[in-house]
Amino acid sequence: MRILTGMLMLISTFCFGQKKQIQNIASTVSIERLKKNLYYLASEQLEGRVMGSHGDTLASEYVANCFKKNHLAAPYKNGTSYFQTIPAYKKNLLQSELIIGNKKFQNWNGWTFAMRNTETTQLDNLPVVFVGHGIENSLYNDFTNIDVKGKAVLLLTGQPQDSTGNYLLSGSKQPAIISSYQNLLKEKGAVLILLYNNRFTADSLLQRKSSFQSVYKTQLLPNNSLPLIMVSEDRANELLSPSHKTIKSLAQDITKTLRPQSFNVNNNVGVHIQIDITEETAPNVIGLIKGTDSAAGCIILSAHHDHVGRDGKDIYFGAVDNASGTVAIMEIAALLNKAVKKGIRPKRSIVFASYTGEEKGLLGAYHFAANPLFPIEKTWAVLNIDMMGRVDTFYSGRRADSNYAYILVKDTLNRGLRNALFTANESLGKLNLDTYYEQPQFMQRRLLGSDQYPFYLKGVPFIRIDCGFSKDYHQPTDTPDKINYELLSNQIKLAFLTTWNIANN
Ligand SMILES: [Zn+2]
C-alpha cells in the first residue's frame, strides 16, 4: 500500500514536473519569429497564395521547411516528403445567355449566377410560373392549384413575417434558407429557379467584383441541386410581361394580403450556360510527431495556407486569413520539437496539416479527410486554426488591445475538449474565451466555414479557435502590419497548451 502511494506520488510529481516544463516551453513563443514568418507568407512575392499558384507552392515549401527543421516525420515518399498532392477541378465559363421570349441577354445584363453552384445548363422554351416565396405549410401555400413540373419558377426573396415576427415558411424567428426552397421545388419537379432579388444591383456588383477568382468543383455543395439564376427587376418584369403585372406589385400583394398570388405567366424562358472543367493539382503539407502510445490514435492540428490571390495589381495578402493560422502551426511545431528534445512526447500522435484550397471550398481538407494518415476512427480530435491575431470589429470598438479568442467546440464523443481548452487557458490566465459564435444561428456557417468540416462530417470532434472578422476580411488591406502580435502570441500559446492537453488526456 505504501509502495503504491509512493508510486502514485512519483507519477504525479512526474506529471506536475512535465506540466511545468510544457508551460515553460509555451512561454518561449517568439514574436520575432511569428513576424518573420507572417511577413513572408503575406508578402508581395507570394501574391495572395491562391490555390495552385506559384505563391501557393512557395508557401507550402516554407511550411515544409519549418516541419523539417523541427524534425517532424515526413509521411510521404518513404519518409522523404511532406507534400500531399490534391486534385482540383477548375470550372471555366465558355458561354452564358438568358432567353426571355425571343430576347437574349448576356450574363450580368440583368441576370447572373454563382459559378460555384452551377453546372453546364441547356434549357429551352420552359413555361414560366410565378410561385411567390415558394412557401408551403399549414398556414400558407404558394403551390395550391399550381403545377411546377417541368417549368421555370419565378421566386421572390424576402419572406413575409406574421405580426409576431415569425417567418411563415419556417414558423419560427428564422427565415427558411435557400436550400430548403430548392429541395421543395426539386421534389415538385421544377427545373429552373429564377430568383428575383431586390438587391440585384448591389449583390451582382459584389459577385462581379469577386469574379476574378477561379472557381472549382467542391463537395461543399449538394449534388444535382436545381439551377438557380438571380434576376433584376427589369428581367423579372420582362418574364412577367404577358400578364401585365410587375414583380413589385406581386410582392406587395402577398405582403398585404398574406395570400398566395401564384399563376402561370404564359411566357417562355431558356438558359444556356456552358462550363468546361480542367484538372489541376495543389499541395497540402502534412507532418507528424509520433506519440508514445500507438493505440491512442492521433489528433490533427490544422490551418489553411492558401488565400484568394490577386486581381490585377491588387494583391489579397491574407495576413489574418490565414497566414496567421499557418504561422501558428509552424510555431507549435517548433515548441513541440523543444518538448521532444527534452524527452517529453505526447501520448497521441500529432498530425500537422497545412491545407491548400480552403478558399475554393475546403478542397485540401476534404482530400485529407478522404486520405488521412491515420484512419478516421483513430482520429481523436481536430484543432483547427483559421484567423488569429486581429482584434475584430466588436472588440476593437471596446478595447483595441483586447485579449480574447472565439471558440467553437463540437465534442460529439465527449472527449473532454472543452475542458482541455479551458484548463489550458487557466494556466495562461490570459484570454477571454468567447462563445458568441457557438449560438445556434451561427452554427451552420461556422461548421461549413473552415477546414474542420470534412472531419466533422465523418464524426470527428473538433475545436476551432479564431479572432473573428475585421473590416479587412477578404480585402487587399488584410496586411501583416495590422496584426496584433501580442494577441497572436497569446492565442498560439492557448492553441499549443490545448493541443498538448488533448494529445494527453
Ligand atoms: Zn480562412
Side-chain angles (χ1 to χ4, degrees):
M1 192 65 195
R2 271 176 58 189
I3 295 168
L4 197 62
T5 315
M7 270 180 66
L8 279 175
M9 273 183 66
L10 243 169
I11 291 169
S12 66
T13 317
F14 173 72
C15 287
F16 182 76
Q18 194 179 76
K19 200 178 159 197
K20 190 87 206 124
Q21 275 179 301
I22 289 295
Q23 278 186 23
N24 287 341
I25 291 170
S27 69
T28 66
V29 168
S30 156
I31 286 185
E32 207 178 316
R33 190 163 49 215
L34 298 180
K35 273 189 179 167
K36 178 175 163 262
N37 291 339
L38 212 146
Y39 269 84
Y40 175 73
L41 290 170
S43 65
E44 246 178 81
Q45 194 193 350
L46 269 65
E47 297 181 305
R49 312 181 304 278
V50 72
M51 185 185 73
S53 69
H54 185 53
D56 184 16
T57 304
L58 290 177
S60 64
E61 283 167 354
Y62 196 67
V63 174
N65 282 335
C66 166
F67 287 179
K68 188 171 183 195
K69 201 177 125 201
N70 290 300
H71 306 285
L72 269 60
Y76 306 111
K77 296 197 174 157
N78 299 317
T80 61
S81 172
Y82 297 98
F83 296 105
Q84 182 189 45
T85 303
I86 74 152
Y89 302 94
K90 188 175 171 181
K91 294 169 131 184
N92 312 293
L93 182 62
L94 303 182
Q95 190 223 357
S96 55
E97 63 180 10
L98 176 71
I99 306 129
I100 303 174
N102 51 18
K103 292 185 189 164
K104 288 184 178 172
F105 302 92
Q106 295 302 306
N107 189 14
W108 303 116
N109 184 5
W111 74 286
T112 194
F113 57 96
M115 271 285 274
R116 272 194 176 208
N117 315 29
T118 307
E119 309 288 335
T120 287
T121 305
Q122 180 80 22
L123 295 166
D124 287 292
N125 292 319
L126 296 174
V128 179
V129 202
F130 174 75
V131 287
H133 293 275
I135 293 171
E136 182 180 60
N137 65 24
S138 56
L139 304 170
Y140 175 96
N141 189 347
D142 277 315
F143 298 98
T144 313
N145 303 323
I146 277 282
D147 183 12
V148 299
K149 200 165 182 191
K151 294 175 185 166
V153 295
L154 178 58
L155 270 185
L156 298 165
T157 43
Q159 298 153 31
Q161 290 166 280
D162 67 18
S163 54
T164 66
N166 277 321
Y167 285 90
L168 284 162
L169 177 57
S170 56
S172 77
K173 303 281 180 203
Q174 304 293 323
I177 51 171
I178 190 71
S179 59
S180 67
Y181 294 92
Q182 284 180 308
N183 290 338
L184 182 63
L185 288 163
K186 200 175 171 192
E187 253 168 55
K188 291 180 179 294
V191 289
L192 173 67
I193 300 174
L194 305 153
L195 189 66
Y196 163 63
N197 179 346
N198 57 11
R199 288 174 31 87
F200 179 85
T201 310
D203 287 359
S204 69
L205 271 174
L206 274 179
Q207 276 198 32
R208 192 157 198 178
K209 195 164 169 267
S210 69
S211 69
F212 72 91
Q213 293 184 44
S214 46
V215 173
Y216 292 78
K217 280 178 93 102
T218 167
Q219 296 172 58
L220 261 184
L221 301 161
N223 279 335
N224 309 318
S225 58
L226 283 181
L228 184 151
I229 67 173
M230 178 166 84
V231 294
S232 67
E233 186 178 350
D234 285 352
R235 290 306 149 259
N237 287 339
E238 195 97 41
L239 287 156
L240 290 166
S241 61
S243 70
H244 304 292
K245 291 179 181 173
T246 67
I247 195 76
K248 279 202 167 146
S249 67
L250 285 164
Q252 279 161 9
D253 287 350
I254 293 175
T255 307
K256 218 186 305 169
T257 63
L258 286 181
R259 301 177 80 119
Q261 305 289 328
S262 307
F263 69 105
N264 283 304
V265 177
N266 195 25
N267 202 354
N268 284 331
V269 69
V271 185
H272 300 165
I273 298 171
Q274 203 186 339
I275 291 167
D276 97 338
I277 290 176
T278 46
E279 189 173 344
E280 296 178 354
T281 57
N284 279 341
V285 191
I286 311 293
L288 174 67
I289 290 180
K290 284 197 184 111
T292 53
D293 180 356
S294 61
C298 78
I299 68 168
I300 298 172
L301 177 65
S302 64
H304 70 91
H305 62 254
D306 72 304
H307 192 55
V308 301
R310 67 185 301 165
D311 180 13
K313 59 179 176 17
D314 288 334
I315 296 175
Y316 288 67
F317 294 98
V320 176
D321 189 9
N322 186 28
S324 65
T326 311
V327 306
I329 68 169
M330 289 166 70
E331 189 67 17
I332 294 171
L335 298 178
L336 281 167
N337 182 39
K338 284 186 187 171
V340 171
K341 271 191 179 157
K342 287 184 197 290
I344 314 169
R345 254 184 203 277
K347 180 173 88 176
R348 298 195 168 81
S349 294
I350 300 175
V351 176
F352 287 72
S354 180
Y355 297 123
T356 186
E358 191 271 353
E359 303 285 4
K360 301 297 183 191
L362 318 181
L363 300 186
Y366 267 110
H367 186 77
F368 190 61
N371 304 275
L373 285 191
F374 290 77
I376 290 295
E377 60 278 9
K378 287 268 178 195
T379 306
W380 182 255
V382 164
L383 173 59
N384 184 49
I385 302 173
D386 194 350
M387 303 207 291
M388 275 185 169
R390 269 301 282 275
V391 182
D392 77 343
T393 42
F394 175 76
Y395 279 95
S396 63
R398 310 179 128 202
R399 277 191 62 167
D401 61 347
S402 295
N403 247 325
Y404 71 100
Y406 291 109
I407 58 167
L408 173 60
V409 182
K410 276 271 175 191
D411 195 355
T412 41
L413 300 172
N414 292 322
R415 286 176 170 172
L417 299 190
R418 198 173 289 274
N419 188 40
L421 187 57
F422 279 80
T423 311
N425 195 47
E426 249 163 57
S427 62
L428 291 164
K430 289 233 162 133
L431 294 165
N432 167 28
L433 298 187
D434 191 328
T435 57
Y436 179 79
Y437 286 114
E438 291 194 320
Q439 295 178 81
Q441 68 267 37
F442 303 122
M443 193 52 77
Q444 192 57 16
R445 282 209 60 171
R446 285 260 121 184
L447 284 176
L448 292 171
S450 192
D451 293 316
Q452 71 282 333
Y453 187 61
F455 294 90
Y456 167 76
L457 288 179
K458 290 179 177 245
V460 181
F462 75 84
I463 297 176
R464 178 178 172 181
I465 302 175
D466 71 275
C467 64
F469 300 93
S470 73
K471 66 176 173 23
D472 301 302
Y473 174 72
H474 277 218
Q475 297 297 325
T477 47
D478 177 9
T479 49
D481 56 297
K482 297 198 184 88
I483 301 270
N484 175 335
Y485 288 88
E486 198 63 48
L487 176 63
L488 177 62
S489 112
N490 288 336
Q491 289 167 337
I492 290 175
K493 285 174 195 168
L494 174 70
F496 168 65
L497 289 180
T498 304
T499 300
W500 186 260
N501 289 347
I502 310 171
N504 289 289
N505 72 358

